[in-house]
Amino acid sequence: MKFKRPECLTKESMHYCPGCGHGIIHRLIAEVIDEDYKESKIIGVAPVGCAVFIYDYFNFDFVAAAHGRATAAATGVKRSIPDALVFSYQGDGDIASIGTSEVIHAATRGENFTAIFVNNGVYAMTGGQMAPTTIPGQVTVSSPYGRDPKVQGYHIKLCEMLVPLDGVAFVARTSIHNLKNIELTKKAIKRAFEVQMNNEGFSIIEVLSNCPTNWGLSPWESMKRIENEVLKYYSLGIFKDKGRGI
């Protein structure tokens, strides 16, 4: 099989730091769309965060949302164009902090779009401050002694919070720290899009990603950190798939 750029990716050079996981996740989305949805109307909703310029990298329409409001914007887009494949693309600070209310209520209502949630455990765009997803003991520029649950509280597990809601059809947490899990992430994206196009309700995939720059590690070391540290706090798997009885 010849390696090539997915057709729905532009030739624009991505602005992400070397080794950042966003590029991998972008490609997986593009591959799924090329394989299954080339003839569909695709609309993405861009976040505020490292992926704020995501609309430069795909050959389909995007809506830019205010910080944390991507799920609210996606709700409006999907209700206006119900036949379109609609997804929001959000970081942990965007969806699990300022956007917590928006995602919980969109999920509760069973809004029929897909949220792709990239969790790298820091506010990466603004300098690497502690985020809601920062794990206990993790050093950031705003938690220089490591996150102490007694002081800053525990990390938020958004997937586990959303599973009990009746409007939620599909919930998965995946990772991109090795080839096996990259492939599982692609399968989860494919399934979430399928759930949406079957009109089953709200779907979300949380992808554990790396941040070499703000973690102070090489790209390789940052991937190993996901495996050796992050997975102790965030378990992987499909937590809910209504259509398959999970």
Side-chain angles (χ1 to χ4, degrees):
M1 181 178 178
K2 185 178 179 181
F3 183 84
K4 63 179 182 178
R5 179 189 295 270
E7 291 181 17
C8 72
L9 282 181
T10 68
K11 294 183 179 180
E12 187 79 17
S13 295
M14 293 184 181
H15 72 280
Y16 302 115
C17 298
C20 173
H22 279 299
I24 296 173
I25 301 166
H26 287 11
R27 182 182 176 91
L28 297 178
I29 294 169
E31 288 180 355
V32 171
I33 290 172
D34 277 8
E35 291 166 12
D36 298 327
Y37 300 102
K38 289 181 70 172
E39 306 303 321
S40 301
K41 176 68 173 175
I42 314 293
I43 304 174
V45 181
V48 172
C50 289
V52 66
F53 299 125
I54 187 174
Y55 43 73
D56 286 337
Y57 309 135
F58 288 92
N59 286 316
F60 49 77
D61 293 332
F62 266 86
V63 172
H67 194 200
R69 314 306 182 222
T71 48
T75 295
V77 172
K78 184 67 177 185
R79 288 191 177 201
S80 300
I81 314 173
D83 293 335
L85 174 63
V86 178
F87 69 92
S88 66
Y89 187 97
Q90 301 173 257
D92 42 1
D94 191 273
I95 198 171
S97 180
I98 192 170
T100 311
S101 175
E102 281 75 12
V103 69
I104 288 175
H105 286 284
T108 298
R109 294 191 305 268
E111 300 293 347
N112 193 47
F113 68 88
T114 302
I116 297 173
F117 160 30
V118 181
N119 178 1
N120 59 21
V122 290
Y123 283 102
M125 185 183 73
T126 54
Q129 298 92 340
M130 186 182 72
T133 51
T134 300
I135 62 176
Q138 183 175 342
V139 173
T140 73
V141 295
S142 59
S143 58
Y145 302 107
R147 180 172 196 156
D148 182 352
K150 293 181 180 179
V151 178
Q152 293 104 356
Y154 288 93
H155 57 298
I156 194 167
K157 296 183 179 181
L158 187 61
C159 284
E160 286 86 341
M161 287 172 57
L162 296 178
V163 166
L165 301 179
D166 292 337
V168 175
F170 180 82
V171 181
R173 181 182 292 121
T174 66
S175 178
I176 56 164
H177 68 277
N178 58 29
L179 292 175
K180 174 185 175 181
N181 283 281
I182 288 172
E183 183 61 29
L184 290 173
T185 298
K186 180 178 177 179
K187 289 180 178 179
I189 294 170
K190 185 184 288 279
R191 176 59 184 154
F193 285 174
E194 180 184 25
V195 165
Q196 178 186 162
M197 299 309 279
N198 288 339
N199 298 308
E200 295 178 33
F202 183 81
S203 53
I204 183 169
I205 310 106
E206 176 181 350
V207 185
L208 301 180
S209 186
N210 60 330
C211 185
T213 296
N214 289 296
W215 291 0
L217 300 171
S218 71
W220 170 252
E221 290 170 336
S222 66
M223 292 298 190
K224 296 303 291 183
R225 179 179 177 271
I226 294 175
E227 182 177 3
N228 296 331
E229 298 180 36
V230 179
L231 291 183
K232 294 177 183 178
Y233 295 92
Y234 290 107
S235 58
L236 303 181
I238 295 172
F239 299 110
K240 188 173 187 178
D241 189 341
K242 266 187 177 180
R244 294 179 177 172
I246 298 173

